[in-house]
Amino acid sequence: MMISRNFAGLLLSLAASLHQCLSSTLDYSSMCDTVKCRIVERCCKDVEEMRRSIDEGTPVASFGEKCTNLCDTAIAEFASKAPTPSEDNPSSTADYEKVLEDLEQSIDMPMQVLFLKQLALLREDALRKYKSASGSASSSSDYEAMVAADEYFASEAEKSVRRGSGWTYAAERTHLQSVMSDVAAGGKRLADVQLKAAQQQTLAMQYLQMQQQTIQQLQQQLYGQTSPWNVGFAYRIPDSNFNLQGSHQQGKTNFQFSCVPDEYAPMLGPNGFTNGVGPGNLGLSLNVSV
């Protein structure tokens, strides 16, 4: 009977000790979580400012450095404000490390989302620089523009990586290179089409010139050597509707007599403001072909 009472007292003492240990563990973990939540809330304000800039289409300068400083400051603040793990309670050290890891992940995740959006903006900027610099038809200048755009993207993307993180921009860089290669191939195809069209136009002009020379040779065979002089004249009989026109072109003489009312007779008559050139208002035109 005495043994049973001693055993029951031992069990009560063990249960009390276990309850005290469990309560202290829960209290320590909750205190660390409270500190973590306050730090995350403060960091979210800084992350929100960068998010607004990126959503407006403006890349954040030195994005990686800002994220690094923000994360390092949060860890340092947690180390200074969180309760120190107790040596008597080994589980408190594990709780401290777990809350610290959760803190870094809570800050890193929204910043990594912004990092991917930042890469998209940098990729579009690099693509615009490539398109504006690759206007020349030269393949060397197009290659130089592609290299310059790729180096610009790699430099700006590297500045956007948070130090000590697993962030990478390899996939975005590969995508940019693929897009630039497609644009270069399309531009080369367009240049080839334009070159072929110009060559065909040149051949067509040469063919027309050959046909014209052939026609002139046939005319010389039919009508003999033609004169290089082309002469034309026109004469309207004063105060009448009769008009006489004549021309001599390529060895052919042509006369035309017509009766056409003169609409400007009131202005060109004796009382008009314009006088005829030459005697009798005779008009002549001279065209010499060499």
Side-chain angles (χ1 to χ4, degrees), residues 116-146:
L116 296 177
K117 293 183 178 180
Q118 172 101 342
L119 291 182
L121 295 178
L122 295 176
R123 184 189 63 199
E124 294 300 325
D125 288 344
L127 190 58
R128 280 194 294 268
K129 290 180 179 296
Y130 164 70
K131 289 181 179 179
S132 61
S134 61
S136 175
S138 174
S139 59
S140 60
S141 63
D142 188 79
Y143 174 76
E144 293 173 357
M146 185 180 298

Side-chain angles (χ1 to χ4, degrees), residues 63-73 111 161-163:
F63 179 80
E65 182 179 355
K66 292 181 179 179
C67 292
T68 301
N69 295 335
L70 185 62
C71 192
D72 292 345
T73 302
M111 291 192 301
V161 176
R162 181 175 75 85
R163 187 173 60 252

Side-chain angles (χ1 to χ4, degrees), residues 116-229:
L116 296 177
K117 293 183 178 180
Q118 172 101 342
L119 291 182
L121 295 178
L122 295 176
R123 184 189 63 199
E124 294 300 325
D125 288 344
L127 190 58
R128 280 194 294 268
K129 290 180 179 296
Y130 164 70
K131 289 181 179 179
S132 61
S134 61
S136 175
S138 174
S139 59
S140 60
S141 63
D142 188 79
Y143 174 76
E144 293 173 357
M146 185 180 298
V147 172
D150 181 70
E151 291 178 350
Y152 164 80
F153 175 81
S155 175
E156 294 300 322
E158 185 65 29
K159 296 177 183 178
S160 301
V161 176
R162 181 175 75 85
R163 187 173 60 252
S165 67
W167 299 357
T168 177
Y169 54 88
E172 291 291 337
R173 186 177 186 181
T174 301
H175 180 65
L176 172 64
Q177 294 172 349
S178 176
V179 172
M180 290 191 296
S181 299
D182 293 341
V183 173
K188 186 177 183 301
R189 287 194 296 268
L190 178 60
D192 292 341
V193 170
Q194 293 176 345
L195 179 61
K196 290 181 180 179
Q199 292 176 348
Q200 292 177 354
Q201 185 177 7
T202 302
L203 291 175
M205 293 298 297
Q206 293 176 353
Y207 176 77
L208 292 176
Q209 291 177 355
M210 292 175 59
Q211 292 297 321
Q212 186 177 5
Q213 292 177 357
T214 302
I215 293 174
Q216 291 178 353
Q217 292 175 359
L218 291 175
Q219 289 178 347
Q220 291 178 2
Q221 293 177 0
L222 292 175
Y223 305 107
Q225 185 69 28
T226 59
S227 173
W229 294 86

Side-chain angles (χ1 to χ4, degrees), residues 183-290:
V183 173
K188 186 177 183 301
R189 287 194 296 268
L190 178 60
D192 292 341
V193 170
Q194 293 176 345
L195 179 61
K196 290 181 180 179
Q199 292 176 348
Q200 292 177 354
Q201 185 177 7
T202 302
L203 291 175
M205 293 298 297
Q206 293 176 353
Y207 176 77
L208 292 176
Q209 291 177 355
M210 292 175 59
Q211 292 297 321
Q212 186 177 5
Q213 292 177 357
T214 302
I215 293 174
Q216 291 178 353
Q217 292 175 359
L218 291 175
Q219 289 178 347
Q220 291 178 2
Q221 293 177 0
L222 292 175
Y223 305 107
Q225 185 69 28
T226 59
S227 173
W229 294 86
N230 293 331
V231 180
F233 71 92
Y235 177 72
R236 177 179 290 274
I237 301 175
D239 300 330
S240 69
N241 295 331
F242 297 104
N243 186 37
L244 178 63
Q245 295 179 344
S247 64
H248 179 78
Q249 296 179 353
Q250 297 182 354
K252 293 182 179 181
T253 303
N254 182 32
F255 291 96
Q256 183 178 1
F257 184 78
S258 59
C259 180
V260 180
D262 190 0
E263 298 178 355
Y264 301 98
M267 292 184 292
L268 301 177
N271 299 325
F273 62 87
T274 303
N275 294 326
V277 179
N281 290 333
L282 179 64
L284 298 175
S285 63
L286 178 62
N287 185 13
V288 179
S289 302
V290 179

Side-chain angles (χ1 to χ4, degrees), residues 28 78 85 91-103:
Y28 179 80
F78 180 81
S91 63
S92 62
T93 302
D95 291 338
Y96 181 90
E97 296 294 337
K98 182 179 184 303
V99 175
L100 181 61
E101 183 180 356
D102 292 342
L103 171 63

